[in-house]
Amino acid sequence: MSRETYVTEALGGIYERVKAARVLMVGAGGIGCELLKNLVLTGFGEIHLVDLDTIDLSNLNRQFLFRHEHIKKSKALVARDTASKFNPDVQLMASHANIKDPQFSVAWFKRFDLVFNALDNLDARRYVNRMCLTAEVPLIESGTTGFNGQVQVIVKGKTECYDCNPKEVPKSFPVCTIRTTPSQPIHCIVWAKSYLFSNLFGIDEDESPDLDNSVNSDNASEIENLRRENLELKHIKDAFGTSEFTRLVFEKVFKIDIDRLLSMEDAWKHRKAPVPILYEEFQRSANAEVKKAASKVASDDQPVWSLAENFVVFKDSVERLSARLLQLQKNAAEGSTRPVLSFDKDDDETLNFVVAAANLRSQVFGIERKSKFEIKQMAGNIIPAIATTNAIIAGVCVLQSFKILNNDIDHAKVVFLSRRPERIFSTESLQPPNPHCGVCSVARCGMEVDVSKFTLHDLVEQVLRAKLGYSEEISVVTDKLLYDIEFDDNVDKTFKELGIDDGTFVTIIDEEEPEGSTPRVNLELLVYAKYVIVVLVVVTVALTIHREGLGDVDVNYKLTSIPEIPRKPVPKPTEEANEVPVSNGKVAVSAGLKRKAEDDELVEVNTLDTKKSKVETRDEDVVVVDDDEAIEID
């Protein structure tokens, strides 16, 4: 009997479309493993998988494509190798990379019939959402938070996008990235609390069994690395309670482990690499700078401690916790369970350890340090990932994909999973795009330029004003404010100097409000560097512009189309006259905010948050739920 017999009977005529489908899956974590299994067993013809993370011991309780011998290996590559055995007829391609890398361009996204998001953070989710809107590829967004989950279908021009509704800031964290590529303070806090504290004073997370039986030519080097890590950990615990214990801990987690991460060169091609820190250097700095006792430093919870102060508190807390645990072990009855310490945010000694360790790790990865007061607020919000929830949500993703492949978007739903006994599933009809959304309710256009020669002045004068009819009241934004009527310091800089390259999105915000009307919607320009071959039908704009006092000016750019840029809808009346739309409304800008660039560097001005709020919904100090964070849970 053919392996296709039952799935053909179950799916009927749509199965041929499933077999012919080319899909992209972003993320190979909790949801990703279950989703990839489903896609392969369903028989999707070609599946591309992208994930930057490596496999960690804590993943193994719910990410069932991975085994112990896979620890430290690429999630994407291992998931591909494991899942390919389920159905050899499926083409599986995997990339151990960041989905935001330049190689994954809009033209690349256009190759797919459907994209599945199984990501662990808001920033990456928003990026994929934007790329799918630009490439006009349907997206199925999913996430879980404990026992809750959600699946959302996103189709450009027909449904709400990921950013149409503001996201509440969840109070939990991503598990998969805290050990390898932290990017937020919360990642370092969770690392200090759930990994380092637990390994030293609580239940050992990473003590691994003998791996001799799994050694082979493919994983021999990984097994050797694990043996070395186990020996290092054992050596540290052998020194527990001695004067050397603190130094050994410090050197392992802030020097040896960081050097090992740096050996993963591919992980740092497009992000800032960590910088190891040395015990002796910090000891000298602490001796010179810190004139008060560690207990006095730790008692002041409002300021952000200096690096030297964090070092002093780290040493003191390790010594105090070691002495406490040794006393508990000494007093324990013979034959009883080995005593351990548990983190408690109201226990000053355990909190001081987490604060100091988290801030030192933040220094290693170039992340903002936090005060003891702030860390205390953040340190208790852990929501566990539930394997069953991931499996259910992954199944719903595939069911929704059938409706997209069958061109039956009207019957697709937003699906919510909860633990309510009276109703586990609830659904909502897909809503039309939010007309005030700064991500999907915008005009879009591609522009090919020589980024080494084309300047911001060329963009403003030749393209925006002369060609597209903008007035002087505009703002130009990428991840920074580049230009507005009160900030023109960058006009003579080339795109290259401004950090604009192939694949960069440049957003134009219309600030003019004609009497009786509204500003135009944002214009989103996607830049194609001139040396890149663009797989698009390009409308060449080769014209000569004559402006008074300038003479003839040659235009050296190409637009993929001449965009239609409609006016924004009139906001609904509100009780408060000053209220504005959340993500794309007009906000009054105070005068006198213009600043001069110093040393020819980009300058961020006070209006930047205002401009960026018109581009997309912002989440300051976003804390992402586990590695399978939900979009928004009712």
Side-chain angles (χ1 to χ4, degrees), residues 160-341:
E160 291 179 328
C161 79
Y162 184 75
D163 281 306
C164 274
N165 296 302
K167 304 295 183 293
E168 293 184 9
V169 178
K171 294 183 178 180
S172 42
F173 62 91
V175 171
C176 282
T177 59
I178 60 172
R179 295 273 294 276
T180 53
T181 54
S183 59
Q184 302 176 25
I186 188 64
H187 298 163
C188 299
I189 295 168
V190 173
W191 172 87
K193 171 189 171 184
S194 298
Y195 167 63
L196 186 58
F197 180 88
S198 295
N199 268 282
L200 294 178
F201 308 112
I203 298 173
D204 299 336
E205 178 189 298
D206 280 355
E207 285 190 346
S208 306
D210 193 346
L211 299 172
D212 283 351
N213 293 333
S214 63
V215 174
N216 56 53
S217 59
D218 293 328
N219 64 10
S221 62
E222 293 297 329
I223 298 303
E224 187 59 35
N225 285 338
L226 285 173
R227 286 199 182 111
R228 184 167 60 250
E229 289 184 4
N230 287 338
L231 287 174
E232 291 167 359
L233 186 61
K234 185 177 184 302
H235 179 53
I236 289 174
K237 292 194 171 183
D238 287 344
F240 195 81
T242 70
S243 58
E244 287 291 289
F245 182 62
T246 302
R247 182 182 62 80
L248 291 171
V249 171
F250 189 98
E251 289 180 344
K252 172 172 169 45
V253 298
F254 299 123
K255 178 64 171 65
I256 297 171
D257 288 353
I258 302 306
D259 285 339
R260 193 165 295 136
L261 286 177
L262 288 171
S263 68
M264 301 164 52
E265 296 180 0
D266 288 346
W268 315 112
K269 286 182 178 178
H270 302 287
R271 65 168 68 206
K272 184 179 179 181
V275 179
I277 54 180
L278 303 179
Y279 183 88
E280 290 77 11
E281 290 183 5
F282 271 65
Q283 182 67 70
R284 289 194 295 269
S285 176
N287 292 339
E289 297 177 23
V290 182
K291 304 302 182 184
K292 51 187 177 182
S295 57
K296 184 67 174 176
V297 174
S299 66
D300 197 353
D301 65 354
Q302 294 297 322
V304 176
W305 301 337
S306 69
L307 290 176
E309 288 173 332
N310 277 292
F311 177 80
V312 168
V313 174
F314 179 82
K315 282 187 60 181
D316 180 72
S317 59
V318 169
E319 291 167 2
R320 289 176 182 271
L321 292 171
S322 300
R324 188 203 294 189
L325 185 55
L326 285 172
Q327 189 62 43
L328 288 174
Q329 293 173 347
K330 180 180 179 181
N331 296 337
E334 186 175 350
S336 62
T337 304
R338 182 173 65 89
V340 296
L341 300 181

Side-chain angles (χ1 to χ4, degrees), residues 453-503:
K453 296 180 180 178
F454 198 75
T455 65
L456 183 59
H457 177 272
D458 295 334
L459 172 66
V460 172
E461 295 299 332
Q462 296 181 18
V463 181
L464 301 181
R465 290 181 180 157
K467 182 62 183 174
L468 301 180
Y470 278 92
S471 71
E472 292 186 355
E473 297 183 52
I474 58 173
S475 297
V476 181
V477 177
T478 53
D479 58 344
K480 292 180 170 64
L481 174 63
L482 301 182
Y483 171 87
D484 71 9
I485 194 170
E486 295 179 341
F487 178 64
D488 60 2
D489 297 15
N490 300 315
V491 292
D492 294 327
K493 294 183 179 180
T494 65
F495 272 23
K496 195 74 173 177
E497 291 171 324
L498 294 170
I500 300 173
D501 209 332
D502 188 62

Side-chain angles (χ1 to χ4, degrees), residues 420-477:
R420 298 171 187 168
E422 69 278 6
R423 190 172 185 181
I424 295 176
F425 279 112
S426 60
T427 62
E428 291 181 0
S429 298
L430 299 178
Q431 299 298 311
N434 178 357
H436 297 288
C437 178
V439 177
C440 67
S441 295
V442 300
R444 285 188 169 84
C445 180
M447 182 173 68
E448 183 182 352
V449 297
D450 184 342
V451 294
S452 64
K453 296 180 180 178
F454 198 75
T455 65
L456 183 59
H457 177 272
D458 295 334
L459 172 66
V460 172
E461 295 299 332
Q462 296 181 18
V463 181
L464 301 181
R465 290 181 180 157
K467 182 62 183 174
L468 301 180
Y470 278 92
S471 71
E472 292 186 355
E473 297 183 52
I474 58 173
S475 297
V476 181
V477 177

Side-chain angles (χ1 to χ4, degrees), residues 51 66 117 127 132 144 153 207 235 240 258 312 320 388 404:
D51 195 296
F66 309 139
N117 249 1
Y127 181 83
C132 287
T144 61
V153 173
E207 285 190 346
H235 179 53
F240 195 81
I258 302 306
V312 168
R320 289 176 182 271
T388 309
I404 293 176

Side-chain angles (χ1 to χ4, degrees), residues 498-570:
L498 294 170
I500 300 173
D501 209 332
D502 188 62
T504 300
F505 287 98
V506 180
T507 302
I508 314 305
I509 304 171
D510 184 12
E511 305 281 1
E512 183 184 34
E513 290 195 52
E515 186 174 352
S517 184
T518 59
R520 294 196 277 186
V521 299
N522 293 354
L523 170 63
E524 197 166 80
L525 291 174
L526 175 60
V527 175
Y528 297 100
K530 194 171 183 179
Y531 50 81
V532 175
I533 298 175
V534 183
V535 187
L536 287 171
V537 178
V538 177
V539 179
T540 303
V541 181
L543 57 141
T544 301
I545 301 174
H546 179 79
R547 294 195 301 274
E548 184 176 354
L550 293 179
D552 292 334
V553 180
D554 290 330
V555 178
N556 186 23
Y557 66 90
K558 296 177 182 178
L559 298 180
T560 58
S561 63
I562 307 300
E564 180 181 348
I565 313 172
R567 297 284 175 184
K568 295 177 184 177
V570 178

